[in-house]
Amino acid sequence: MPEESKEKYINPYTDFGFKKLFGTEMNKDLLISFLNSLFCHTESEIEDVQYLNGENLGDGYGDRRSIFDVYCMAKDGSRFIVEMQKAEQAYFKDRSIYYSTFAIREQAPKGQKWDYRLDNIYTVGVLNFTFPNGEYPADKYRHEIKLKDMGDNHVFYDKLTFVYLEMPKFNKTEDELETMFDKWMFVLRNLSRLLERPEALQDRIFKKLFEQAEIAKYTNAERQQYEASLKEYWDYTSTMETAFRKGEKEGEEKGRQVEKTETARKMKAKGYDTETIAEITGLTIEEIDLL
């Protein structure tokens, strides 16, 4: 059993925390408010959702390396897949596209004639990392992706939408929160570090969220489940950070080796003897002879 958490509010990046806040019938108003803040530019507001079976969308509890807890449907048939991603993974985009296909395929009625009409599908990724290689500017943390025509950039198909939130980029302070979307981003980014509900989050929906997130109000069984989930979260993020640092170190070493090789190549082309090149670059005689 891990050491008991000293935080007042749960960490929403844990499996338990995300399910507690967004994956239960009792708290579906939290989910509805969050989704409406994401898609406030659309014509219709989500009034109610029905939770659907998400078991076919991910692995079993405790085995996952990402949190995939919410799969629901609005009254108009729109389907929402919400995923809390703890850390960067190889082929993350592929995985995101793959999961969306379940929501597509299950709309086909079995044994019936069908005209292939699909309802809207939204995949929401709350990312506890940023996309690599500076794919997006530092001040852009909400990304909405649809299928577009490469010629004139018009939306070719508007029923398949992917929204990704790069949480580490959101650095607004409490005084800077203006929209409901700002407030939700602030909560998800900072909840486990807060000691009380900020003045900027006095909306009724956040009053409920903070009540549901307060660890002291949980039963012993719930606290144990949360602590186990928190330990799994920290173990995983630590493993990923170690792998990242190792990759950085290997990249630096490879870069130094390339630089040495290029220096040796230039020296060799200018007629320097092999022994001198080896002394200056640190390469072996055999490595220089192969250039």
Side-chain angles (χ1 to χ4, degrees), residues 143-160:
H143 313 293
E144 184 169 331
I145 292 92
K146 294 180 183 287
L147 295 177
K148 287 192 173 184
D149 183 285
M150 297 296 290
D152 59 12
N153 206 38
H154 83 276
V155 176
F156 172 75
Y157 187 74
D158 64 354
K159 290 185 177 182
L160 185 61

mmCIF file with all atom_site columns, all heavy atoms in Angstrom, residues 143-160:
data_model
loop_
_atom_site.group_PDB
_atom_site.id
_atom_site.type_symbol
_atom_site.label_atom_id
_atom_site.label_alt_id
_atom_site.label_comp_id
_atom_site.label_asym_id
_atom_site.label_entity_id
_atom_site.label_seq_id
_atom_site.pdbx_PDB_ins_code
_atom_site.Cartn_x
_atom_site.Cartn_y
_atom_site.Cartn_z
_atom_site.occupancy
_atom_site.B_iso_or_equiv
_atom_site.pdbx_formal_charge
_atom_site.auth_seq_id
_atom_site.auth_comp_id
_atom_site.auth_asym_id
_atom_site.auth_atom_id
_atom_site.pdbx_PDB_model_num
ATOM 1   N N   . HIS A 1 143 ? -6.673  22.062 -30.084 1.00 0.00 ? 143 HIS A N   1
ATOM 2   C CA  . HIS A 1 143 ? -6.573  21.766 -31.516 1.00 0.00 ? 143 HIS A CA  1
ATOM 3   C C   . HIS A 1 143 ? -7.788  20.946 -31.950 1.00 0.00 ? 143 HIS A C   1
ATOM 4   O O   . HIS A 1 143 ? -8.090  19.911 -31.355 1.00 0.00 ? 143 HIS A O   1
ATOM 5   C CB  . HIS A 1 143 ? -5.286  20.987 -31.812 1.00 0.00 ? 143 HIS A CB  1
ATOM 6   C CG  . HIS A 1 143 ? -4.075  21.581 -31.155 1.00 0.00 ? 143 HIS A CG  1
ATOM 7   N ND1 . HIS A 1 143 ? -3.565  22.806 -31.500 1.00 0.00 ? 143 HIS A ND1 1
ATOM 8   C CD2 . HIS A 1 143 ? -3.301  21.122 -30.129 1.00 0.00 ? 143 HIS A CD2 1
ATOM 9   C CE1 . HIS A 1 143 ? -2.518  23.078 -30.733 1.00 0.00 ? 143 HIS A CE1 1
ATOM 10  N NE2 . HIS A 1 143 ? -2.344  22.072 -29.898 1.00 0.00 ? 143 HIS A NE2 1
ATOM 11  N N   . GLU A 1 144 ? -8.472  21.418 -32.962 1.00 0.00 ? 144 GLU A N   1
ATOM 12  C CA  . GLU A 1 144 ? -9.649  20.720 -33.491 1.00 0.00 ? 144 GLU A CA  1
ATOM 13  C C   . GLU A 1 144 ? -9.341  20.259 -34.903 1.00 0.00 ? 144 GLU A C   1
ATOM 14  O O   . GLU A 1 144 ? -9.050  21.077 -35.783 1.00 0.00 ? 144 GLU A O   1
ATOM 15  C CB  . GLU A 1 144 ? -10.866 21.638 -33.481 1.00 0.00 ? 144 GLU A CB  1
ATOM 16  C CG  . GLU A 1 144 ? -12.144 20.944 -33.922 1.00 0.00 ? 144 GLU A CG  1
ATOM 17  C CD  . GLU A 1 144 ? -13.391 21.781 -33.647 1.00 0.00 ? 144 GLU A CD  1
ATOM 18  O OE1 . GLU A 1 144 ? -13.384 22.579 -32.691 1.00 0.00 ? 144 GLU A OE1 1
ATOM 19  O OE2 . GLU A 1 144 ? -14.376 21.624 -34.407 1.00 0.00 ? 144 GLU A OE2 1
ATOM 20  N N   . ILE A 1 145 ? -9.414  18.966 -35.126 1.00 0.00 ? 145 ILE A N   1
ATOM 21  C CA  . ILE A 1 145 ? -9.006  18.369 -36.401 1.00 0.00 ? 145 ILE A CA  1
ATOM 22  C C   . ILE A 1 145 ? -10.200 17.698 -37.060 1.00 0.00 ? 145 ILE A C   1
ATOM 23  O O   . ILE A 1 145 ? -10.941 16.952 -36.431 1.00 0.00 ? 145 ILE A O   1
ATOM 24  C CB  . ILE A 1 145 ? -7.867  17.347 -36.193 1.00 0.00 ? 145 ILE A CB  1
ATOM 25  C CG1 . ILE A 1 145 ? -6.584  18.054 -35.752 1.00 0.00 ? 145 ILE A CG1 1
ATOM 26  C CG2 . ILE A 1 145 ? -7.592  16.557 -37.478 1.00 0.00 ? 145 ILE A CG2 1
ATOM 27  C CD1 . ILE A 1 145 ? -6.406  18.167 -34.279 1.00 0.00 ? 145 ILE A CD1 1
ATOM 28  N N   . LYS A 1 146 ? -10.360 17.958 -38.360 1.00 0.00 ? 146 LYS A N   1
ATOM 29  C CA  . LYS A 1 146 ? -11.376 17.291 -39.165 1.00 0.00 ? 146 LYS A CA  1
ATOM 30  C C   . LYS A 1 146 ? -10.735 16.870 -40.488 1.00 0.00 ? 146 LYS A C   1
ATOM 31  O O   . LYS A 1 146 ? -9.599  17.277 -40.798 1.00 0.00 ? 146 LYS A O   1
ATOM 32  C CB  . LYS A 1 146 ? -12.555 18.231 -39.458 1.00 0.00 ? 146 LYS A CB  1
ATOM 33  C CG  . LYS A 1 146 ? -13.381 18.637 -38.234 1.00 0.00 ? 146 LYS A CG  1
ATOM 34  C CD  . LYS A 1 146 ? -14.526 19.556 -38.642 1.00 0.00 ? 146 LYS A CD  1
ATOM 35  C CE  . LYS A 1 146 ? -15.330 20.042 -37.452 1.00 0.00 ? 146 LYS A CE  1
ATOM 36  N NZ  . LYS A 1 146 ? -16.166 18.977 -36.889 1.00 0.00 ? 146 LYS A NZ  1
ATOM 37  N N   . LEU A 1 147 ? -11.455 16.077 -41.272 1.00 0.00 ? 147 LEU A N   1
ATOM 38  C CA  . LEU A 1 147 ? -10.972 15.699 -42.594 1.00 0.00 ? 147 LEU A CA  1
ATOM 39  C C   . LEU A 1 147 ? -11.156 16.877 -43.545 1.00 0.00 ? 147 LEU A C   1
ATOM 40  O O   . LEU A 1 147 ? -12.266 17.378 -43.720 1.00 0.00 ? 147 LEU A O   1
ATOM 41  C CB  . LEU A 1 147 ? -11.740 14.482 -43.119 1.00 0.00 ? 147 LEU A CB  1
ATOM 42  C CG  . LEU A 1 147 ? -11.562 13.177 -42.347 1.00 0.00 ? 147 LEU A CG  1
ATOM 43  C CD1 . LEU A 1 147 ? -12.449 12.091 -42.947 1.00 0.00 ? 147 LEU A CD1 1
ATOM 44  C CD2 . LEU A 1 147 ? -10.108 12.738 -42.358 1.00 0.00 ? 147 LEU A CD2 1
ATOM 45  N N   . LYS A 1 148 ? -10.052 17.325 -44.154 1.00 0.00 ? 148 LYS A N   1
ATOM 46  C CA  . LYS A 1 148 ? -10.116 18.491 -45.032 1.00 0.00 ? 148 LYS A CA  1
ATOM 47  C C   . LYS A 1 148 ? -9.587  18.172 -46.421 1.00 0.00 ? 148 LYS A C   1
ATOM 48  O O   . LYS A 1 148 ? -8.766  17.276 -46.610 1.00 0.00 ? 148 LYS A O   1
ATOM 49  C CB  . LYS A 1 148 ? -9.304  19.647 -44.443 1.00 0.00 ? 148 LYS A CB  1
ATOM 50  C CG  . LYS A 1 148 ? -9.948  20.308 -43.239 1.00 0.00 ? 148 LYS A CG  1
ATOM 51  C CD  . LYS A 1 148 ? -9.236  21.611 -42.894 1.00 0.00 ? 148 LYS A CD  1
ATOM 52  C CE  . LYS A 1 148 ? -9.987  22.354 -41.799 1.00 0.00 ? 148 LYS A CE  1
ATOM 53  N NZ  . LYS A 1 148 ? -9.358  23.669 -41.514 1.00 0.00 ? 148 LYS A NZ  1
ATOM 54  N N   . ASP A 1 149 ? -10.056 18.939 -47.403 1.00 0.00 ? 149 ASP A N   1
ATOM 55  C CA  . ASP A 1 149 ? -9.545  18.840 -48.764 1.00 0.00 ? 149 ASP A CA  1
ATOM 56  C C   . ASP A 1 149 ? -8.222  19.603 -48.821 1.00 0.00 ? 149 ASP A C   1
ATOM 57  O O   . ASP A 1 149 ? -8.157  20.773 -48.435 1.00 0.00 ? 149 ASP A O   1
ATOM 58  C CB  . ASP A 1 149 ? -10.548 19.439 -49.753 1.00 0.00 ? 149 ASP A CB  1
ATOM 59  C CG  . ASP A 1 149 ? -10.092 19.294 -51.188 1.00 0.00 ? 149 ASP A CG  1
ATOM 60  O OD1 . ASP A 1 149 ? -9.188  20.037 -51.601 1.00 0.00 ? 149 ASP A OD1 1
ATOM 61  O OD2 . ASP A 1 149 ? -10.649 18.435 -51.901 1.00 0.00 ? 149 ASP A OD2 1
ATOM 62  N N   . MET A 1 150 ? -7.155  18.955 -49.287 1.00 0.00 ? 150 MET A N   1
ATOM 63  C CA  . MET A 1 150 ? -5.845  19.592 -49.314 1.00 0.00 ? 150 MET A CA  1
ATOM 64  C C   . MET A 1 150 ? -5.747  20.688 -50.360 1.00 0.00 ? 150 MET A C   1
ATOM 65  O O   . MET A 1 150 ? -4.857  21.532 -50.304 1.00 0.00 ? 150 MET A O   1
ATOM 66  C CB  . MET A 1 150 ? -4.760  18.542 -49.591 1.00 0.00 ? 150 MET A CB  1
ATOM 67  C CG  . MET A 1 150 ? -4.652  17.482 -48.505 1.00 0.00 ? 150 MET A CG  1
ATOM 68  S SD  . MET A 1 150 ? -4.150  18.175 -46.914 1.00 0.00 ? 150 MET A SD  1
ATOM 69  C CE  . MET A 1 150 ? -2.451  18.611 -47.282 1.00 0.00 ? 150 MET A CE  1
ATOM 70  N N   . GLY A 1 151 ? -6.681  20.676 -51.332 1.00 0.00 ? 151 GLY A N   1
ATOM 71  C CA  . GLY A 1 151 ? -6.621  21.685 -52.386 1.00 0.00 ? 151 GLY A CA  1
ATOM 72  C C   . GLY A 1 151 ? -7.088  23.049 -51.934 1.00 0.00 ? 151 GLY A C   1
ATOM 73  O O   . GLY A 1 151 ? -6.347  24.031 -52.017 1.00 0.00 ? 151 GLY A O   1
ATOM 74  N N   . ASP A 1 152 ? -8.314  23.123 -51.419 1.00 0.00 ? 152 ASP A N   1
ATOM 75  C CA  . ASP A 1 152 ? -8.855  24.437 -51.027 1.00 0.00 ? 152 ASP A CA  1
ATOM 76  C C   . ASP A 1 152 ? -9.111  24.550 -49.528 1.00 0.00 ? 152 ASP A C   1
ATOM 77  O O   . ASP A 1 152 ? -9.677  25.535 -49.060 1.00 0.00 ? 152 ASP A O   1
ATOM 78  C CB  . ASP A 1 152 ? -10.139 24.747 -51.792 1.00 0.00 ? 152 ASP A CB  1
ATOM 79  C CG  . ASP A 1 152 ? -11.230 23.699 -51.542 1.00 0.00 ? 152 ASP A CG  1
ATOM 80  O OD1 . ASP A 1 152 ? -11.067 22.871 -50.612 1.00 0.00 ? 152 ASP A OD1 1
ATOM 81  O OD2 . ASP A 1 152 ? -12.232 23.709 -52.271 1.00 0.00 ? 152 ASP A OD2 1
ATOM 82  N N   . ASN A 1 153 ? -8.729  23.505 -48.757 1.00 0.00 ? 153 ASN A N   1
ATOM 83  C CA  . ASN A 1 153 ? -8.795  23.539 -47.295 1.00 0.00 ? 153 ASN A CA  1
ATOM 84  C C   . ASN A 1 153 ? -10.214 23.528 -46.728 1.00 0.00 ? 153 ASN A C   1
ATOM 85  O O   . ASN A 1 153 ? -10.410 23.839 -45.557 1.00 0.00 ? 153 ASN A O   1
ATOM 86  C CB  . ASN A 1 153 ? -8.041  24.766 -46.751 1.00 0.00 ? 153 ASN A CB  1
ATOM 87  C CG  . ASN A 1 153 ? -7.533  24.541 -45.340 1.00 0.00 ? 153 ASN A CG  1
ATOM 88  O OD1 . ASN A 1 153 ? -7.093  23.450 -44.999 1.00 0.00 ? 153 ASN A OD1 1
ATOM 89  N ND2 . ASN A 1 153 ? -7.604  25.559 -44.509 1.00 0.00 ? 153 ASN A ND2 1
ATOM 90  N N   . HIS A 1 154 ? -11.220 23.174 -47.545 1.00 0.00 ? 154 HIS A N   1
ATOM 91  C CA  . HIS A 1 154 ? -12.572 23.122 -46.986 1.00 0.00 ? 154 HIS A CA  1
ATOM 92  C C   . HIS A 1 154 ? -12.764 21.782 -46.257 1.00 0.00 ? 154 HIS A C   1
ATOM 93  O O   . HIS A 1 154 ? -12.093 20.793 -46.553 1.00 0.00 ? 154 HIS A O   1
ATOM 94  C CB  . HIS A 1 154 ? -13.632 23.299 -48.079 1.00 0.00 ? 154 HIS A CB  1
ATOM 95  C CG  . HIS A 1 154 ? -13.963 22.039 -48.825 1.00 0.00 ? 154 HIS A CG  1
ATOM 96  N ND1 . HIS A 1 154 ? -13.217 21.574 -49.891 1.00 0.00 ? 154 HIS A ND1 1
ATOM 97  C CD2 . HIS A 1 154 ? -14.964 21.124 -48.647 1.00 0.00 ? 154 HIS A CD2 1
ATOM 98  C CE1 . HIS A 1 154 ? -13.733 20.447 -50.345 1.00 0.00 ? 154 HIS A CE1 1
ATOM 99  N NE2 . HIS A 1 154 ? -14.797 20.141 -49.610 1.00 0.00 ? 154 HIS A NE2 1
ATOM 100 N N   . VAL A 1 155 ? -13.675 21.778 -45.269 1.00 0.00 ? 155 VAL A N   1
ATOM 101 C CA  . VAL A 1 155 ? -13.945 20.561 -44.518 1.00 0.00 ? 155 VAL A CA  1
ATOM 102 C C   . VAL A 1 155 ? -14.676 19.566 -45.407 1.00 0.00 ? 155 VAL A C   1
ATOM 103 O O   . VAL A 1 155 ? -15.804 19.819 -45.844 1.00 0.00 ? 155 VAL A O   1
ATOM 104 C CB  . VAL A 1 155 ? -14.773 20.860 -43.252 1.00 0.00 ? 155 VAL A CB  1
ATOM 105 C CG1 . VAL A 1 155 ? -15.115 19.559 -42.533 1.00 0.00 ? 155 VAL A CG1 1
ATOM 106 C CG2 . VAL A 1 155 ? -14.005 21.784 -42.313 1.00 0.00 ? 155 VAL A CG2 1
ATOM 107 N N   . PHE A 1 156 ? -14.041 18.448 -45.681 1.00 0.00 ? 156 PHE A N   1
ATOM 108 C CA  . PHE A 1 156 ? -14.625 17.438 -46.551 1.00 0.00 ? 156 PHE A CA  1
ATOM 109 C C   . PHE A 1 156 ? -15.679 16.614 -45.820 1.00 0.00 ? 156 PHE A C   1
ATOM 110 O O   . PHE A 1 156 ? -16.702 16.234 -46.382 1.00 0.00 ? 156 PHE A O   1
ATOM 111 C CB  . PHE A 1 156 ? -13.504 16.521 -47.075 1.00 0.00 ? 156 PHE A CB  1
ATOM 112 C CG  . PHE A 1 156 ? -13.993 15.318 -47.832 1.00 0.00 ? 156 PHE A CG  1
ATOM 113 C CD1 . PHE A 1 156 ? -14.481 15.438 -49.116 1.00 0.00 ? 156 PHE A CD1 1
ATOM 114 C CD2 . PHE A 1 156 ? -13.965 14.052 -47.244 1.00 0.00 ? 156 PHE A CD2 1
ATOM 115 C CE1 . PHE A 1 156 ? -14.933 14.329 -49.817 1.00 0.00 ? 156 PHE A CE1 1
ATOM 116 C CE2 . PHE A 1 156 ? -14.419 12.936 -47.932 1.00 0.00 ? 156 PHE A CE2 1
ATOM 117 C CZ  . PHE A 1 156 ? -14.909 13.079 -49.223 1.00 0.00 ? 156 PHE A CZ  1
ATOM 118 N N   . TYR A 1 157 ? -15.409 16.319 -44.529 1.00 0.00 ? 157 TYR A N   1
ATOM 119 C CA  . TYR A 1 157 ? -16.339 15.515 -43.737 1.00 0.00 ? 157 TYR A CA  1
ATOM 120 C C   . TYR A 1 157 ? -16.364 16.069 -42.326 1.00 0.00 ? 157 TYR A C   1
ATOM 121 O O   . TYR A 1 157 ? -15.340 16.073 -41.630 1.00 0.00 ? 157 TYR A O   1
ATOM 122 C CB  . TYR A 1 157 ? -15.895 14.046 -43.728 1.00 0.00 ? 157 TYR A CB  1
ATOM 123 C CG  . TYR A 1 157 ? -16.881 13.110 -43.076 1.00 0.00 ? 157 TYR A CG  1
ATOM 124 C CD1 . TYR A 1 157 ? -18.062 12.756 -43.719 1.00 0.00 ? 157 TYR A CD1 1
ATOM 125 C CD2 . TYR A 1 157 ? -16.639 12.594 -41.803 1.00 0.00 ? 157 TYR A CD2 1
ATOM 126 C CE1 . TYR A 1 157 ? -18.971 11.897 -43.125 1.00 0.00 ? 157 TYR A CE1 1
ATOM 127 C CE2 . TYR A 1 157 ? -17.548 11.729 -41.199 1.00 0.00 ? 157 TYR A CE2 1
ATOM 128 C CZ  . TYR A 1 157 ? -18.717 11.383 -41.870 1.00 0.00 ? 157 TYR A CZ  1
ATOM 129 O OH  . TYR A 1 157 ? -19.626 10.555 -41.278 1.00 0.00 ? 157 TYR A OH  1
ATOM 130 N N   . ASP A 1 158 ? -17.517 16.553 -41.899 1.00 0.00 ? 158 ASP A N   1
ATOM 131 C CA  . ASP A 1 158 ? -17.579 17.263 -40.621 1.00 0.00 ? 158 ASP A CA  1
ATOM 132 C C   . ASP A 1 158 ? -18.136 16.425 -39.474 1.00 0.00 ? 158 ASP A C   1
ATOM 133 O O   . ASP A 1 158 ? -18.348 16.946 -38.380 1.00 0.00 ? 158 ASP A O   1
ATOM 134 C CB  . ASP A 1 158 ? -18.412 18.537 -40.767 1.00 0.00 ? 158 ASP A CB  1
ATOM 135 C CG  . ASP A 1 158 ? -19.866 18.261 -41.114 1.00 0.00 ? 158 ASP A CG  1
ATOM 136 O OD1 . ASP A 1 158 ? -20.218 17.085 -41.347 1.00 0.00 ? 158 ASP A OD1 1
ATOM 137 O OD2 . ASP A 1 158 ? -20.667 19.221 -41.154 1.00 0.00 ? 158 ASP A OD2 1
ATOM 138 N N   . LYS A 1 159 ? -18.362 15.135 -39.691 1.00 0.00 ? 159 LYS A N   1
ATOM 139 C CA  . LYS A 1 159 ? -18.932 14.300 -38.627 1.00 0.00 ? 159 LYS A CA  1
ATOM 140 C C   . LYS A 1 159 ? -17.886 13.555 -37.806 1.00 0.00 ? 159 LYS A C   1
ATOM 141 O O   . LYS A 1 159 ? -18.227 12.852 -36.866 1.00 0.00 ? 159 LYS A O   1
ATOM 142 C CB  . LYS A 1 159 ? -19.916 13.279 -39.228 1.00 0.00 ? 159 LYS A CB  1
ATOM 143 C CG  . LYS A 1 159 ? -21.195 13.897 -39.761 1.00 0.00 ? 159 LYS A CG  1
ATOM 144 C CD  . LYS A 1 159 ? -22.154 12.811 -40.233 1.00 0.00 ? 159 LYS A CD  1
ATOM 145 C CE  . LYS A 1 159 ? -23.468 13.393 -40.703 1.00 0.00 ? 159 LYS A CE  1
ATOM 146 N NZ  . LYS A 1 159 ? -24.417 12.328 -41.123 1.00 0.00 ? 159 LYS A NZ  1
ATOM 147 N N   . LEU A 1 160 ? -16.624 13.710 -38.163 1.00 0.00 ? 160 LEU A N   1
ATOM 148 C CA  . LEU A 1 160 ? -15.543 13.054 -37.426 1.00 0.00 ? 160 LEU A CA  1
ATOM 149 C C   . LEU A 1 160 ? -14.592 14.138 -36.932 1.00 0.00 ? 160 LEU A C   1
ATOM 150 O O   . LEU A 1 160 ? -13.894 14.777 -37.721 1.00 0.00 ? 160 LEU A O   1
ATOM 151 C CB  . LEU A 1 160 ? -14.807 12.057 -38.309 1.00 0.00 ? 160 LEU A CB  1
ATOM 152 C CG  . LEU A 1 160 ? -13.713 11.210 -37.642 1.00 0.00 ? 160 LEU A CG  1
ATOM 153 C CD1 . LEU A 1 160 ? -14.297 10.358 -36.524 1.00 0.00 ? 160 LEU A CD1 1
ATOM 154 C CD2 . LEU A 1 160 ? -13.022 10.325 -38.679 1.00 0.00 ? 160 LEU A CD2 1
#
